[in-house]
Amino acid sequence: MVFNELNKDSTLYYFLSNKRECDFIAEKEKNIKNAVQVCWEFTEENKKREFNGLLEAMKYFNLNKGLILTNDQEDEITIDDKKIEIKPVWKWLLQKSN
């Protein structure tokens, strides 16, 4: 669902560096616009993996904002001057449609 929505107006890539991965890198008009991680639930067990992959991609592409999409969690965290928004997929989809 996330892939289909992002793919409507962006070219998508998968990011892998130093054994860290980010699910979606969205490019529009030859510029990288978004780094997005997707997980059902954001927990203590996967927190480090999700953050590290997203932060690695954000640093590589010089992005100040990143997004983690979940089933039902919401938060906003700043790490090393990088803003990470954690949002339920349903809410993100509704905001994109407006």
Side-chain angles (χ1 to χ4, degrees):
M1 182 175 10
V2 173
F3 171 85
N4 288 335
E5 186 62 31
L6 288 170
N7 199 40
K8 286 180 182 177
D9 61 359
S10 299
T11 301
L12 299 181
Y13 301 95
Y14 172 80
F15 179 81
L16 179 63
S17 173
N18 299 321
K19 296 185 181 181
R20 295 181 177 151
E21 58 89 17
C22 183
D23 297 328
F24 300 108
I25 302 298
E27 177 188 65
K28 289 183 187 179
E29 300 170 2
K30 302 199 186 248
N31 292 309
I32 302 298
K33 298 293 186 184
N34 295 315
V36 180
Q37 289 282 61
V38 180
C39 58
W40 180 258
E41 187 175 42
F42 192 61
T43 65
E44 286 301 318
E45 290 79 30
N46 68 7
K47 180 189 249 181
K48 185 176 178 181
R49 181 187 71 230
E50 300 296 341
F51 274 144
N52 287 341
L54 184 60
L55 287 169
E56 184 91 13
M58 290 168 65
K59 288 176 187 172
Y60 185 86
F61 293 107
N62 197 29
L63 299 171
N64 293 321
K65 285 177 46 178
L67 178 63
I68 297 175
L69 294 173
T70 68
N71 179 50
D72 64 359
Q73 293 164 285
E74 192 165 5
D75 202 354
E76 191 172 291
I77 298 165
T78 302
I79 299 174
D80 298 332
D81 297 326
K82 306 279 187 190
K83 181 178 158 185
I84 298 174
E85 193 172 4
I86 301 166
K87 185 177 286 195
V89 171
W90 65 267
K91 191 174 222 178
W92 173 75
L93 288 168
L94 286 174
Q95 290 171 339
K96 282 191 62 79
S97 68
N98 290 333

